[in-house]
C-alpha cells in the first residue's frame, strides 16, 4: 500500500514573517518519497507559501482521505486569532489584523486527521509562534488530536532579528537524505541531538496528541529546558499502537491495512512527486466564488491537474473524538455494551465496502446509547449525529445529510454555544454544502427556509452565504 506525504511550508510575506518556512522544501524534496513516507512507494504533495486557507484545506482533505500511511511535514508559524483566541497557521497573506480570514485554523488540521489512527498517521512539525500564540501554547498546549503521532518543536518568535531558520526540519531532512528512515521517535531524538542549542527552551512534541513528552494532556504544557529530557513526577506519554504486518508506517511501526481508521480513499498513482507551487492554488475559492462552493465538503474540483483523484474522495467532516468522549464501549461489530474493535474502524470498513445501511445502523446504536447516557445535547451524542450526517453524504443522500447537519447546528445553538464557535460554523457550512447538492427541488424548497434562518444567526467566515441561500431559495420558489 503506497503512503501519502504532504509537505507544507507556510509563512506570511513581509515584516510579519517569523521563519523562512519555504527554505526547507528543497532539502525535503531531495529525499526519496519512500523514505519520507516510510513505505515502499509514496505520493508526495508539496505546498509552498500558499495564499488561501481553503486551498490548503482541499489538499489536506484529499491527503487525509487517501488509503495507507500518511505523513505531514509542516513548517511555519502560529498566530492567535484575537477575537476567538484560537491558533492559526499563518499563510502568505496573513497579518495580525487578518488572522481569522487569511490564516489556516489549527482546528482544521486536527479535524481532518481525527478519523485516522496514530499507527498510520504522523505529523512532523517545525513551528515558530508569535508572542500571543506562544503564551497560549505554554498555557494550553498544541492539540493535534488523540490519534495523530506528533514529533517536532515549537519555538518562540525571534523578534526583530529577522526570519528564523527551520533548523529542526532541515536537520530531519538531512538525516533522511541518507536513504534510511528510522522510527520517528528515534529520528526526532537524532535531530534534537544535532541542534541542542537551537531547540533549548522550545516546546518539544514526541507522542500522540501534540503535547510535550511527560506532560498530561489535560493540563500544563511548558517549555522543556533540555531537549528530550525527562520530567519527573508526571505520567509518561501514551504509546503509539503498532500494527502486526505491512511496510513501515509513519510511526516507524509496520503499517496497518488501508481500512484501519480511514474513510474511503483517494486513488492516486504511486511513487510520484506533485508540486502545487506558490500560487493560491488552482480551483481555490476566490473573491467571486459562490459561497455554496466555498464551504467545506466533499469536492474534487479544487484539486490541481497534478493531484486529481480517479474518483471523488470521501472526506468526512466529523472525525473520531478522543477516546474519553466516546460513550460507553468504544468498540464495534457487536451492539453497544460489548468489547471489540473501535466502532469507527468498523463503520469505515462498511463505507468502503458500500454497506452504507450497516454503517449507519452501527452509528445509530451508539448515538442512541449516548443520548440515553449523556443527553441529546452532549458532545458524545453530537459526535455520533455528525458521524451519521457524514454517512448520509457518503451514501449519496444530500437531503438526509443536510437535515442532520441542520439538526446538529440547532442543537449546539440551543445548548448555548456561540454563533461563531467552530463546531457551530462547521455544521451550518456543511448543511449549506449539502443543500446546494440536492437535485430534488421540492426537498430543496423544504429545507431552504431552515437553512436561511440558521444563516441569519451563523453567517460563517465567507461573506455572502446568507444572500446565496436567499437567492437560490427565491429561484426554487419561483419555479414552483
Amino acid at each position: 500500500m503506497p503512503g501519502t506525504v504532504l509537505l507544507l511550508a507556510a509563512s506570511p510575506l513581509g515584516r510579519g514573517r517569523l521563519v523562512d518556512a519555504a527554505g526547507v522544501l528543497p532539502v525535503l524534496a531531495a529525499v526519496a518519497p519512500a523514505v519520507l513516507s516510510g513505505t515502499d512507494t509514496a505520493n508526495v504533495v508539496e505546498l509552498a507559501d500558499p495564499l488561501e486557507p481553503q486551498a490548503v484545506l482541499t489538499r489536506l482533505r484529499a491527503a487525509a482521505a487517501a488509503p495507507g500511511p500518511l505523513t505531514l511535514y509542516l513548517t511555519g508559524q502560529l498566530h492567535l486569532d484575537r477575537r476567538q483566541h484560537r491558533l492559526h497557521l499563518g499563510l502568505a497573506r496573513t497579518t495580525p489584523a487578518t488572522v481569522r480570514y487569511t490564516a489556516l485554523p489549527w482546528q482544521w488540521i486536527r479535524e481532518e486527521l481525527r478519523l485516522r489512527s496514530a499507527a498510520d498517521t504522523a505529523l512532523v512539525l517545525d513551528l515558530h509562534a508569535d508572542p500571543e500564540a506562544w503564551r497560549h501554547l505554554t498555557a494550553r498546549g498544541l492539540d493535534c488530536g488523540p490519534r495523530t503521532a506528533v514529533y517536532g518543536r515549537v519555538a518562540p518568535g525571534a523578534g526583530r532579528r529577522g526570519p528564523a531558520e527551520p533548523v529542526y526540519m532541515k536537520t530531519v531532512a538531512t538525516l533522511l537524505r541518507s536513504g534510511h528512515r528510522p522510527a520517528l521517535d528515534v529520528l526526532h531524538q537524532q535531530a534534537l541531538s544535532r541542534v541542542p542549542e537551537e531547540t533549548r527552551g522550545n516546546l518539544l512534541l514526541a507522542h500522540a496528541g501534540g503535547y510535550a513528552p511527560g506532560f498530561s494532556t489535560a493540563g500544563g504544557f511548558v517549555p522543556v529546558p533540555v531537549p528530550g529530557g525527562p520530567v519527573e513526577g508526571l505520567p509518561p506519554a501514551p504509546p503509539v499502537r503498532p500494527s502486526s504486518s505491512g511496510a513501515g508506517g509513519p510511526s516507524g511501526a509496520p503499517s496497518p491495512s488501508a481500512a484501519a481508521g480511514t474513510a474511503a480513499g483517494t486513488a492516486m498513482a504511486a511513487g510520484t512527486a506533485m508540486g502545487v507551487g506558490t500560487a493560491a492554488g488552482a480551483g481555490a475559492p476566490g473573491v467571486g466564488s459562490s459561497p455554496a462552493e466555498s464551504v467545506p465538503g466533499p469536492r474534487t474540483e479544487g484539486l490541481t491537474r497534478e493531484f486529481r483523484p480517479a474518483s471523488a474522495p470521501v472526506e468526512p467532516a466529523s472525525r473520531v473524538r478522543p477516546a474519553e468522549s466516546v460513550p460507553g464501549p468504544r468498540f464495534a461489530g457487536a451492539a453497544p455494551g460489548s468489547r471489540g474493535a473501535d466502532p469507527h474502524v468498523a463503520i469505515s470498513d462498511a463505507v468502503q465496502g458500500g454497506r452504507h445501511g450497516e454503517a449507519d445502523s452501527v452509528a445509530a446504536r451508539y448515538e442512541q446509547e449516548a443520548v440515553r447516557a449523556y443527553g441529546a445535547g452532549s458532545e458524545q451524542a453530537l459526535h455520533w449525529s455528525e458521524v451519521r450526517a457524514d454517512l448520509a453524504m457518503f451514501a449519496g443522500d444530500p437531503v438526509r445529510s443536510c437535515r442532520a447537519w441542520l439538526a446538529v447546528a440547532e442543537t449546539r445553538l440551543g445548548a448555548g454555544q456561540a454563533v461563531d464557535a467552530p463546531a457551530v460554523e462547521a455544521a451550518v457550512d456543511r448543511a449549506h454544502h449539502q443543500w446546494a447538492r440536492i437535485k430534488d427541488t421540492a426537498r430543496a424548497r423544504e429545507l431552504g427556509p431552515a437553512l436561511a434562518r440558521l444563516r441569519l444567526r451563523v453567517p460563517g467566515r465567507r461573506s455572502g452565504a446568507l444572500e446565496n441561500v436567499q437567492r437560490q431559495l427565491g429561484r426554487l420558489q419561483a419555479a414552483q
Side-chain angles (χ1 to χ4, degrees):
M1 175 66 64
T4 300
V5 175
L6 178 59
L7 307 179
L8 173 56
S11 56
L13 302 174
R15 291 183 295 177
R17 174 167 289 201
L18 300 178
V19 58
D20 179 22
V24 78
L25 286 178
V27 189
L28 283 170
V31 180
V35 177
L36 287 171
S37 176
T39 57
D40 291 338
T41 59
N43 311 291
V44 179
V45 181
E46 181 179 315
L47 288 170
D49 282 333
L51 302 179
E52 297 290 341
Q54 196 73 26
V56 179
L57 178 62
T58 297
R59 288 152 180 86
L60 176 62
R61 281 194 170 161
L70 170 65
T71 309
L72 280 72
Y73 294 87
L74 200 162
T75 308
Q77 61 190 66
L78 294 172
H79 300 268
L80 198 67
D81 169 14
R82 293 174 179 174
R83 178 178 175 185
Q84 296 183 314
H85 302 288
R86 294 190 175 95
L87 290 170
H88 289 64
L89 179 71
L91 301 184
R93 293 175 176 170
T94 300
T95 65
T98 64
V99 167
R100 187 165 183 254
Y101 305 100
T102 61
L104 181 77
W106 189 259
Q107 179 75 6
W108 287 9
I109 298 174
R110 184 189 189 281
E111 291 293 308
E112 295 308 317
L113 300 180
R114 274 201 293 179
L115 196 62
R116 301 185 61 96
S117 75
D120 69 352
T121 309
L123 191 56
V124 182
L125 304 176
D126 190 347
L127 300 171
H128 287 68
D130 71 8
E132 292 179 344
W134 181 252
R135 286 192 293 271
H136 178 94
L137 285 164
T138 55
R140 301 187 183 185
L142 182 65
D143 185 5
C144 302
R147 290 175 170 252
T148 302
V150 185
Y151 299 92
R153 62 95 179 234
V154 185
R160 298 184 179 181
R161 290 180 291 173
E165 289 294 320
V167 291
Y168 172 84
M169 191 67 76
K170 284 188 174 181
T171 304
V172 167
T174 300
L175 290 167
L176 291 176
R177 288 185 68 179
S178 67
H180 169 65
R181 171 172 148 165
L184 284 184
D185 57 343
V186 176
L187 178 65
H188 173 69
Q189 293 300 330
Q190 289 177 349
L192 292 178
S193 68
R194 292 197 176 193
V195 286
E197 292 302 320
E198 293 88 340
T199 56
R200 189 176 299 276
N202 292 180
L203 305 182
L204 303 178
L205 314 171
H207 66 81
Y211 293 84
F215 285 86
S216 168
T217 59
F221 182 82
V222 296
V224 179
V226 180
V231 180
E232 295 182 0
L234 292 174
V240 175
R241 217 169 13 105
S243 69
S244 58
S245 62
S251 65
S255 305
S257 68
T262 64
T266 303
M268 295 183 291
T272 59
M274 297 166 283
V276 177
T278 59
V287 175
S289 62
S290 166
E293 295 301 318
S294 300
V295 298
R299 54 189 299 162
T300 58
E301 56 269 30
L303 301 178
T304 61
R305 180 174 57 187
E306 297 87 349
F307 189 64
R308 187 178 301 279
S311 59
V314 177
E315 298 159 358
S318 60
R319 305 295 188 190
V320 81
R321 300 283 184 189
E324 294 75 18
S325 71
V326 179
R330 296 180 287 110
F331 314 95
S338 65
R339 309 290 291 183
D342 187 333
H344 302 85
V345 175
I347 290 170
S348 178
D349 288 345
V351 170
Q352 293 187 64
R355 305 186 305 276
H356 299 288
E358 175 186 329
D360 187 65
S361 294
V362 173
R365 292 201 301 272
Y366 279 87
E367 180 185 34
Q368 291 164 8
E369 181 178 281
V371 170
R372 287 194 299 268
Y374 303 97
S378 66
E379 283 298 322
Q380 292 87 342
L382 286 169
H383 166 66
W384 290 107
S385 299
E386 292 175 350
V387 168
R388 296 190 69 193
D390 276 333
L391 292 175
M393 175 192 72
F394 298 156
D397 189 346
V399 173
R400 182 159 55 94
S401 183
C402 175
R403 199 186 304 276
W405 282 118
L406 290 173
V408 168
E410 291 284 6
T411 301
R412 289 191 179 280
L413 290 169
Q417 294 188 25
V419 296
D420 59 356
V424 174
E425 287 186 340
V428 178
D429 284 347
R430 289 178 169 105
H432 192 163
H433 182 272
Q434 291 298 295
W435 182 73
R437 279 150 177 75
I438 297 174
K439 296 180 180 180
D440 186 329
T441 55
R443 293 295 185 91
R445 277 196 300 268
E446 174 191 346
L447 294 173
L451 177 61
R453 287 193 297 272
L454 268 177
R455 273 300 184 202
L456 277 170
R457 301 172 65 187
V458 187
R461 290 171 175 259
R462 294 280 174 172
S463 61
L466 173 61
E467 292 78 4
N468 174 268
V469 176
Q470 293 172 332
R471 183 168 56 252
Q472 291 297 107
L473 188 55
R475 292 172 183 168
L476 291 169
Q477 291 171 341
Q480 191 171 3

